[in-house]
């Protein structure tokens, strides 16, 4: 199974086209942490001692939260995960994160901000694999 850490330019373009002008976007993040965070080519962020991927992801969240709030976004839920109740045994995720963004434009503004970019390497160092699924609320489901 291939690993996924960053969005491809094509996926970014499709995301923008599919969600632009449709209101709030909630991002479902499935996260698999490295045993030891990998700060290769990220020397400016590297902690003095080795840390786990989970610890590196916490550094990412701590440094990202002010930028999220500036963009009008918020963390809805962050929790540990185990095995699927319904799903393949071959996929194991350590954590689930739900983040609400006011709009696709606000998300892109956040993701491209220089302050976010300076600290985003903690995410790269932390993750062995991930999934990011953007969603819009279905309002008429009854």
């Amino acid at each position: 199974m291939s690993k996924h850490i960053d969005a491809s330019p094509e996926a970014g373009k499709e995301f923008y086209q599919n969600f632009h002008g449709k209101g709030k976007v909630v991002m479902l993040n499935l996260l698999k942490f490295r045993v030891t965070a990998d700060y290769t080519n990220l020397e400016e962020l590297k902690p003095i001692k080795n840390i786990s991927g989970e610890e590196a992801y916490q550094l990412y969240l701590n440094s990202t939260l002010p930028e999220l709030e500036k963009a009008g976004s918020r963390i809805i839920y962050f929790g540990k995960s185990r095995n699927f109740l319904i799903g393949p045994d071959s996929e194991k995720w350590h954590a689930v994160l739900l983040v609400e963004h006011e709009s696709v434009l606000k998300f892109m503004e956040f993701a491209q901000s220089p302050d976010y970019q300076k600290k985003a390497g903690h995410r790269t160092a932390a993750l062995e694999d991930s999934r990011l699924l953007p969603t819009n609320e279905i309002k008429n489901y009854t």
Side-chain angles (χ1 to χ4, degrees), residues 1-5 30 32 84 88-93 128-131:
M1 175 170 45
S2 32
K3 309 286 181 175
H4 302 275
I5 304 298
L30 297 178
K32 185 181 295 185
F84 282 108
D89 288 336
S90 60
E91 286 189 33
K92 308 286 185 199
W93 301 101
E128 179 183 323
D129 199 5
S130 69
R131 301 292 182 270

Side-chain angles (χ1 to χ4, degrees), residues 11-81:
K13 182 179 177 182
E14 185 177 328
F15 164 64
Y16 180 82
Q17 291 170 339
N18 289 340
F19 289 87
H20 179 64
K22 294 187 178 169
K24 291 183 180 183
V25 178
V26 174
M27 299 289 212
L28 166 65
N29 295 258
L30 297 178
L31 308 167
K32 185 181 295 185
F33 302 121
R34 296 176 190 272
V35 173
T36 303
D38 180 3
Y39 282 91
T40 303
N41 300 320
L42 298 166
E43 308 308 322
E44 69 283 357
L45 294 176
K46 186 175 183 175
I48 295 169
K49 63 177 184 133
N50 284 342
I51 61 173
S52 70
E54 188 171 1
E55 290 169 311
Y57 200 81
Q58 192 61 55
L59 289 174
Y60 166 72
L61 286 178
N62 292 346
S63 64
T64 299
L65 202 50
E67 298 307 312
L68 273 173
E69 290 170 350
K70 267 197 256 182
S73 301
R74 68 186 181 105
I75 293 175
I76 297 172
Y77 177 81
F78 183 48
K80 291 191 180 244
S81 177

